[in-house]
Amino acid sequence: MKALFRFLYELIGAPKPPADTPVYRDVIFPNLGLLNLGISLGLVVVFYLLINRAMGVATFNKGRHWAIFLGLNALLAFIVTIWQTNAQQVTDHSYIYWLATWNAILGMFWFFLFSVLLKRASTNASTTPF
C-alpha cells in the first residue's frame, strides 16, 4: 500500500523540502491514502445506503445532492491533509497546499468510483449521478 500511495502522491512532484521526504513517504502518504479511502467510502455509504435506502428520503436523490457530498468529500480531504502535515510537524511549505489540492482531487475520484460501485444498492438514488 505504501508504494501505491507514494506513487499517487508523488505524481505532483517530490516532497519539499527534501529533508522531509522520508516523513512524507513513510507516514503522511500512507495515512492520507487510507484516510481518503475511508472518508470517501464512508460518505458514499451515508449517501446511498443510509440516506437513500435506510431512511428512504426520496427528495435527496438528485445530482445536486450527490455533488454536495462530492464537494464535502473534497473539503474533508483537503483539511485532513493540512491536519496530517501539521501533526507530523513537517516544514511549512507551499508543497503542503499542492498536496492538499491533489488529495482533494483524489478524494473526488475515490468518491466517484465508490459511487459507481455502490449506487445500485440504493432504492432512491440508484441513478444518481447518472
Side-chain angles (χ1 to χ4, degrees):
M1 286 301 260
K2 257 188 201 183
L4 171 68
F5 292 134
R6 178 181 172 188
F7 169 74
L8 287 176
Y9 288 113
E10 286 189 351
L11 285 174
I12 61 169
K16 304 282 190 275
D20 289 335
T21 299
V23 176
Y24 279 101
R25 289 180 177 164
D26 295 334
V27 180
I28 295 173
F29 291 161
N31 288 351
L32 286 180
L34 292 174
L35 284 168
N36 208 354
L37 285 172
I39 290 170
S40 298
L41 181 61
L43 285 175
V44 167
V45 166
V46 166
F47 181 77
Y48 285 107
L49 300 178
L50 183 64
I51 294 174
N52 284 299
R53 183 180 174 111
M55 293 175 54
V57 181
T59 60
F60 203 76
N61 60 356
K62 307 285 188 264
R64 66 180 174 267
H65 302 128
W66 181 85
I68 290 170
F69 271 77
L70 179 71
L72 177 64
N73 186 48
L75 179 65
L76 288 173
F78 189 90
I79 291 170
V80 163
T81 305
I82 303 299
W83 167 66
Q84 271 294 308
T85 55
N86 286 336
Q88 296 303 321
Q89 299 175 347
V90 295
T91 306
D92 196 20
H93 194 272
S94 65
Y95 177 79
I96 293 171
Y97 298 101
W98 283 108
L99 179 63
T101 303
W102 179 240
N103 197 40
I105 292 167
L106 287 175
M108 290 189 295
F109 170 75
W110 294 125
F111 186 86
F112 178 79
L113 183 67
F114 290 138
S115 291
V116 169
L117 295 174
L118 295 177
K119 72 180 190 169
R120 297 287 177 219
S122 175
T123 53
N124 292 333
S126 62
T127 60
T128 305
F130 47 86

